[in-house]
Amino acid sequence: MINKVAEYLSREGFHFYEKSFRKFSEDIYIFVVKKANEKSIGLLTQRDFTLSSPYFTERKYLKEIGYYLNLYPLTYENFVILKDKFSIAPSPCNKKVSFGMGDRLGLVTAAHIRAVQNYDVFPVLAQQSPRELMKTHRSFKEAILKAILGVLEEGYTGKFGADADHIKDENYLMEAIDAGYTMYTLDLSDMLVKLSDYTESQLKEKAEKLNITSKRIIEKFKGKKFVMPTEEAFTVSEEELYKSALTYEKAMDFVEKVYGILKDKVKNFDLEISIDEGDKDTTVEDHIFVAEYLHEKGIDFWSLAPKFPGEFQKAIDYIGDVDKFAVELKKHQFLSREFGGYKLSLHSGSDKFSIYKVFSEITEGEFHIKTSGTSWLQAVNLIFEKDKKLFKELYQIALYNLEESKKAYKVLIDKKDFPENINLEDSQIVSKPEIKQLFHISYGVLLEERKKQIFEVLNKYEEEHYEFVRKNVENHFKEIFSK
């Protein structure tokens, strides 16, 4: 049957993705095709089952196989039908290791799936933040549709997640809920009280006004000594615990509000609490306060992202003392077990090869890692290989807009670090840390000015693009799971 379908589609000018061909019942098959760089969902049916908005208003009957064939765009309405009828949809995590693989362009979910197939990893295939969506002019619904299309294209039948990342307000939360996301990462950075903005007397006054829950946590844990399995120990500082309460209490109200909305509107979901933004490393007191406060409020969270020592800059390896990182990670891992068994999450996790092994070992192989820009950089690498002229244009645009792009990301690069005329004969140019950081943060302006040309190259060399991404993500896994 598959050969007959492929022959017909080829005659009609379609590229047929053979891996996508799957059987749902005795009389329904589904597959993915592409024509003029537009991908569609195909259905073979013997009965009256259709999706909405068909490309062909009349059904094509393939007499040789006795099936009707229709092609459809993957609209959100069609996704809902596939979700309801065939359970093709994201779900909460069901494995110890989970890995977020944001796809800024919506082109490489198939490659992400290929990368995980040899590893016991739960892939979070749709992972986007409001910031990324704004810069790419996409929506939460569009991001999830592109992920679903990749799932269908690759014929993937395993479970996968969808993460509404860096949620800071109710509007974006509701958009993600409406789109069907199964993971919600709450970014508390804008809600934290900056203690340096207040005088000592003002802080003392604020401390007196802390709510009952905060005061109870301080009384419960001040001076408490924790002894870890390694026999290393630490004692909770009352002063630091007060600082934690003053810093985080307001943010806890936001978490409580969001949790109530999610419990009301989403059947099953993973909740991640992100406290990794900013310059301040997460202390044990911070961790204790946040975890205990949320549990006292009956909030069941799936993972916590602390701010670890060192620099987690975009597109490059970890900068810092790995031994110091390990010392603090052990404390946070111990606390995650003491306070409920949630995962620790590593944000800005792309290309942090020097700490993957220690992170995996100390967390006992149960953790979440987020990446995003690393896959976008593989698109840049492909363009460098296939279209030097376009790469040079992208470089010049990125360099011209560097200061504006830096406003959204923490990177330590400056315009003076870059030559105005880049040496395109240097095959290692795209591997240089400053070049990687430049392109990592510049995707918004580059898509704004050269999206058509970028997509033309990536669509023309689709398999090569997939291979670049697959190898890159697999390199992460090889280090994470190294023994």
Side-chain angles (χ1 to χ4, degrees), residues 1-274:
M1 177 187 288
I2 188 172
N3 290 335
K4 295 290 185 183
V5 173
E7 288 172 11
Y8 167 76
L9 291 167
S10 179
R11 290 196 303 269
E12 295 297 316
F14 289 95
H15 172 71
F16 173 61
Y17 293 90
E18 288 192 22
K19 284 185 180 179
S20 70
F21 195 79
R22 70 168 92 173
K23 183 179 182 178
F24 279 124
S25 64
E26 287 303 316
D27 57 357
I28 299 179
Y29 293 81
I30 194 169
F31 55 89
V32 176
V33 295
K34 182 170 74 170
K35 188 175 186 178
N37 295 330
E38 290 293 329
K39 294 181 181 179
S40 308
I41 304 300
L43 280 183
L44 292 177
T45 64
Q46 287 182 321
R47 58 186 172 89
D48 188 23
F49 175 80
T50 61
L51 300 180
S52 61
S53 308
Y55 279 130
F56 302 144
T57 53
E58 294 184 14
R59 304 169 77 190
K60 175 69 179 180
Y61 184 67
L62 301 184
K63 189 175 181 180
E64 303 115 297
I65 59 174
Y67 279 80
Y68 290 95
L69 181 149
N70 269 327
L71 298 180
Y72 304 85
L74 185 56
T75 61
Y76 194 78
E77 292 75 19
N78 287 338
F79 162 61
V80 171
I81 295 172
L82 293 173
K83 178 181 178 181
D84 292 344
K85 297 291 184 181
F86 307 119
S87 299
I88 300 176
S91 68
C93 180
N94 68 338
K95 293 186 177 182
K96 287 186 175 182
V97 176
S98 46
F99 198 83
M101 295 176 282
D103 180 6
R104 289 173 176 171
L105 303 180
L107 296 177
V108 292
T109 291
H112 289 154
I113 291 169
R114 293 178 190 181
V116 304
Q117 62 186 357
N118 295 321
Y119 298 91
D120 191 20
V121 171
F122 179 83
V124 180
L125 299 174
Q127 175 193 282
Q128 301 282 233
S129 67
R131 174 176 61 191
E132 289 171 323
L133 294 175
M134 285 187 289
K135 284 180 174 288
T136 57
H137 299 289
R138 302 169 76 203
S139 66
F140 278 117
K141 282 186 176 179
E142 183 181 348
I144 208 169
L145 288 179
K146 293 297 185 182
I148 295 296
L149 193 59
V151 167
L152 293 172
E153 177 187 324
E154 200 61 16
Y156 181 68
T157 57
K159 292 186 179 297
F160 62 95
D163 178 13
D165 197 11
H166 285 287
I167 295 296
K168 298 181 180 183
D169 63 60
E170 193 174 333
N171 290 333
Y172 282 114
L173 172 70
M174 297 308 297
E175 286 184 26
I177 290 172
D178 188 46
Y181 280 68
T182 52
M183 177 178 173
Y184 297 84
T185 299
L186 306 189
D187 181 353
L188 307 185
S189 57
D190 290 351
M191 298 152 230
L192 304 184
V193 174
K194 192 174 180 180
L195 302 187
S196 60
D197 289 343
Y198 298 91
T199 65
E200 190 173 330
S201 60
Q202 288 174 325
L203 290 176
K204 186 177 181 180
E205 184 179 342
K206 281 182 169 293
E208 292 172 355
K209 294 180 179 178
L210 287 170
N211 65 33
I212 294 174
T213 303
S214 295
K215 290 179 178 178
R216 185 162 55 240
I217 292 170
I218 293 169
E219 284 300 312
K220 181 178 180 180
F221 290 100
K222 67 180 183 181
K224 182 177 176 62
K225 183 178 181 180
F226 286 95
V227 181
M228 298 188 288
T230 57
E231 297 187 0
E232 297 168 277
F234 59 88
T235 301
V236 179
S237 161
E238 181 178 4
E239 181 181 356
E240 288 299 319
L241 203 51
Y242 264 106
K243 289 180 180 178
S244 301
L246 291 168
T247 300
Y248 287 97
E249 186 183 84
K250 179 183 175 183
M252 296 300 96
D253 292 339
F254 173 71
V255 178
E256 189 174 6
K257 180 180 181 180
V258 167
Y259 188 73
I261 294 171
L262 288 171
K263 290 291 285 184
D264 182 56
K265 296 184 177 295
V266 183
K267 187 176 181 181
N268 295 303
F269 60 90
D270 294 322
L271 180 65
E272 177 162 288
I273 309 300
S274 170

Side-chain angles (χ1 to χ4, degrees), residues 277-288:
E277 297 287 334
D279 298 323
K280 180 181 178 292
D281 293 346
T282 303
T283 64
V284 292
E285 289 83 7
D286 293 336
H287 189 147
I288 290 167

